[in-house]
Amino acid sequence: MNGQEVAFLILAVIGGLAGLLVVTSRNVVHAALYLVVALASVAGVYLLLAAPFVAFVQVIIYVGAIVVLILFGIMLTRAPVGRRVLDNTLRARVGAFVVGAGVFIMFTVFLGGAFGDERIENQGATATEALGESLFRNYVLPFEAVSVLLLAALIGAIVLARRD
Amino acid sequence: MIDAARDLLDNYWVLMPVKVLAVLAIFLTFPLVVGYMEHKVMAHMQARLGPMEAGRFHGVLQLVADGIKFVQKESIIPKAADKWVFALAPAVALIPAILVFGFIPYGPDLVPIRSDVGLFVTLALSSVSVIGVLMAAWSSANKYSLMGGIRAAAQLIAYELPLVLAAAAVAMQAGSADLAVIVERQGWWGYIVGPLVIGFFVYGTAALAELTRPPFDMPVADSELVFGHLTEYTGLRFAFFLLTEYAGIVSQSAIAATLFLGGWKGPFLDGPWWLAAKVLALSFVVIWARSTYPRLREDQLQSFAWLRLVPVSLALLLVVGFLKVYEVGI
């Protein structure tokens, strides 16, 4: 095992544990804070894969914006300190299990089908320039499609929030 | 003698501790200097003297005395608080604030940690500090703290956007996200001459709001919320939060100087002293703003970010991109 693999193992264990705690934690705020740890360890994995740009964007977007937004939402609605928040009904648990297991199976099947036992060679660090080039030259159409999708989500949110 | 020292520094295991110590030294001195400056500058702006006793000469050791006082104070954790989150919050806020100092280019070859995406690293680290503020706000089990936390979160989400967009305009102009390269591609006058001067003002305003400094200090508004997320903190943990704030002023000033004012470059004798001078000048402006402007109201704060700063920074991005593509020099 080389240093990279050891580091990956540590990150995988931390991230996996944090992920488990996100769904088992009895307190929503604790769950959101464990989510920070899980997302940060994913950023660590990106760093190990020599993709620093993706890693730090992961931190800015997920830790800095999305979790902050989640915490903001929780604090604005209900966040009793100490008292436990238990609204996990059996139905919700079964639904969550089905979705989680489905995603897990999907990823294992798809990734296994795509790469199988193939070993991917160690590549040098992805230069940010190369990333931008491929994103805006080769994949510009999917990129624009995603931005239209986001715009649709934004308009949908406004429609839902308006009362008149 | 100098050659021997240079050979020694080529060894990674010698160089790394030296870098760590140097960054720690900067982290432990500059925020204190800015803190002392705040005492004295505000005092003189308000026609009083400020600290005059500690350290004999004009109270130069006032903050050291304050530090000793904080260490002696009892560390209280409220009974209803969420103990772990409460105890960890200052560390979550402080550690990213220290790490930012490692990525700033201090001189031509003085970059402790050089990264291809240094700009994004510093932005990412400063966005992590917010989590510490929210942890403190929620875990204190105090409604003033919680209100402060909600305000802080709303404010930081709103101002993160113009901050990142203004920084992106600089990265676009320089053609790199590496802070060292960004400085190298500027003249000593920086990007202040040209359209990016608007970016400088947008970045400065957004950074002031990110630091929750007046006139954007709604989250800790003392007349409404006692002290926001800091209300329940005492002793060392409180001191850590204060240190985070002053370290934030220094690091944001350093990043702004790096992005817009030519970093360590000067009209003569390039070197770290120019960066230090620019940082102190920008910190002075931060303090100046505190003693000049009244606090904004929450809705003014939000509409200023979304209706003014975001459109301006988007337009700036467009202009810089246009000039870059058609190769009109700035």
Side-chain angles (χ1 to χ4, degrees):
Chain A
M1 233 173 19
N2 58 23
Q4 208 178 357
E5 284 166 346
V6 174
F8 174 74
L9 209 66
I10 294 168
L11 281 172
V13 169
I14 294 174
L17 269 180
L20 257 179
L21 286 166
V22 172
V23 285
T24 52
S25 168
R26 295 280 169 110
N27 188 313
V28 267
V29 175
H30 287 175
L33 293 175
Y34 285 126
L35 192 61
V36 172
V37 178
L39 292 170
S41 63
V42 173
V45 173
Y46 288 144
L47 265 188
L48 275 184
L49 293 173
F53 180 75
V54 183
F56 291 111
V57 168
Q58 161 92 4
V59 174
I60 295 178
I61 305 286
Y62 284 92
V63 177
I66 291 184
V67 175
V68 169
L69 205 60
I70 291 174
L71 281 171
F72 177 64
I74 296 170
M75 285 182 183
L76 206 57
T77 47
R78 48 177 173 175
V81 177
R83 201 150 38 87
R84 286 174 168 184
V85 181
L86 280 172
D87 55 355
N88 294 340
T89 57
L90 188 65
R91 258 176 68 193
R93 276 162 195 245
V94 170
F97 180 76
V98 169
V99 171
V103 170
F104 181 73
I105 290 167
M106 190 186 82
F107 272 124
T108 32
V109 169
F110 282 4
L111 286 178
F115 298 107
D117 287 334
E118 217 175 303
R119 267 192 85 85
I120 291 154
E121 283 304 308
N122 245 340
Q123 289 171 336
T126 320
T128 316
E129 257 179 77
L131 196 74
E133 194 115 310
S134 79
L135 198 62
F136 289 106
R137 197 152 281 165
N138 306 338
Y139 297 101
V140 90
L141 199 67
F143 180 79
E144 290 299 325
V146 168
S147 52
V148 172
L149 184 73
L150 285 176
L151 184 67
L154 208 67
I155 295 171
I158 294 171
V159 170
L160 285 178
R162 279 181 63 152
R163 282 169 195 225
D164 49 63
Chain B
M1 178 66 197
I2 292 169
D3 281 342
R6 210 159 265 188
D7 285 345
L8 199 62
L9 278 180
D10 276 339
N11 185 336
Y12 177 84
W13 298 107
V14 177
L15 186 59
M16 211 55 205
V18 169
K19 280 179 175 177
V20 169
L21 284 179
V23 168
L24 263 183
I26 293 165
F27 172 76
L28 288 175
T29 48
F30 266 79
L32 288 190
V33 170
V34 171
Y36 173 68
M37 204 163 97
E38 176 159 53
H39 274 308
K40 292 305 269 189
V41 168
M42 275 185 61
H44 284 281
M45 281 180 177
Q46 294 160 350
R48 48 189 184 86
L49 289 174
M52 287 301 281
E53 299 299 327
R56 301 273 168 94
F57 179 76
H58 288 259
V60 281
L61 293 182
Q62 183 59 45
L63 287 192
V64 178
D66 280 348
I68 294 167
K69 180 192 74 180
F70 280 129
V71 173
Q72 290 170 329
K73 282 198 169 178
E74 186 186 357
S75 181
I76 300 167
I77 297 182
K79 205 174 176 187
D82 192 306
K83 292 186 182 52
W84 273 100
V85 180
F86 187 85
L88 274 176
V92 174
L94 185 64
I95 290 169
I98 301 176
L99 290 178
V100 172
F101 285 87
F103 291 90
I104 293 167
Y106 295 100
D109 291 312
L110 282 173
V111 195
I113 309 169
R114 180 142 183 200
S115 165
D116 187 24
V117 285
L119 177 58
F120 288 98
V121 180
T122 53
L123 291 173
L125 285 171
S126 52
S127 69
V128 172
S129 282
V130 183
I131 302 278
V133 172
L134 289 179
M135 283 167 74
W138 172 78
S139 66
S140 297
N142 176 325
K143 56 175 166 277
Y144 295 114
S145 295
L146 191 63
M147 284 292 293
I150 291 171
R151 285 182 178 186
Q155 179 168 332
L156 295 165
I157 291 168
Y159 283 89
E160 184 85 7
L161 209 54
L163 190 86
V164 173
L165 286 173
V170 174
M172 201 186 228
Q173 176 58 37
S176 173
D178 184 337
L179 288 173
V181 174
I182 289 177
V183 175
E184 273 158 24
R185 297 210 174 143
Q186 296 176 43
W188 68 264
W189 55 88
Y191 283 139
I192 207 78
V193 185
L196 275 172
V197 67
I198 300 165
F200 176 63
F201 285 109
V202 170
Y203 189 93
T205 314
L208 208 58
E210 287 263 306
L211 294 167
T212 64
R213 291 282 302 178
F216 302 104
D217 63 336
M218 293 301 298
V220 290
D222 49 339
S223 52
E224 302 164 29
L225 296 178
V226 190
F227 208 11
H229 63 278
L230 298 171
T231 304
E232 296 288 357
Y233 279 90
T234 55
L236 257 187
R237 291 203 174 91
F238 180 74
F240 283 158
F241 269 118
L242 279 191
L243 191 57
T244 308
E245 181 177 338
Y246 288 99
I249 296 175
V250 175
S251 60
Q252 284 289 7
S253 302
I255 295 168
T258 301
L259 291 180
F260 297 98
L261 304 180
W264 42 263
K265 283 188 177 171
F268 51 88
L269 262 180
D270 289 350
W273 36 87
W274 283 106
L275 184 67
K278 287 166 187 174
V279 165
L280 289 180
L282 286 177
S283 305
F284 175 80
V285 175
V286 171
I287 298 162
W288 192 6
R290 175 174 179 185
S291 39
T292 310
Y293 291 107
R295 183 180 300 133
L296 270 77
R297 220 170 50 213
E298 189 64 29
D299 59 319
Q300 292 170 334
L301 192 98
Q302 288 293 330
S303 60
F304 183 66
W306 293 107
L307 301 179
R308 298 274 153 75
L309 287 185
V310 172
V312 166
S313 50
L314 280 174
L316 176 73
L317 209 57
L318 207 67
V319 169
V320 171
F322 186 83
L323 294 178
K324 190 82 184 166
V325 169
Y326 293 98
E327 283 170 359
V328 183
I330 298 183

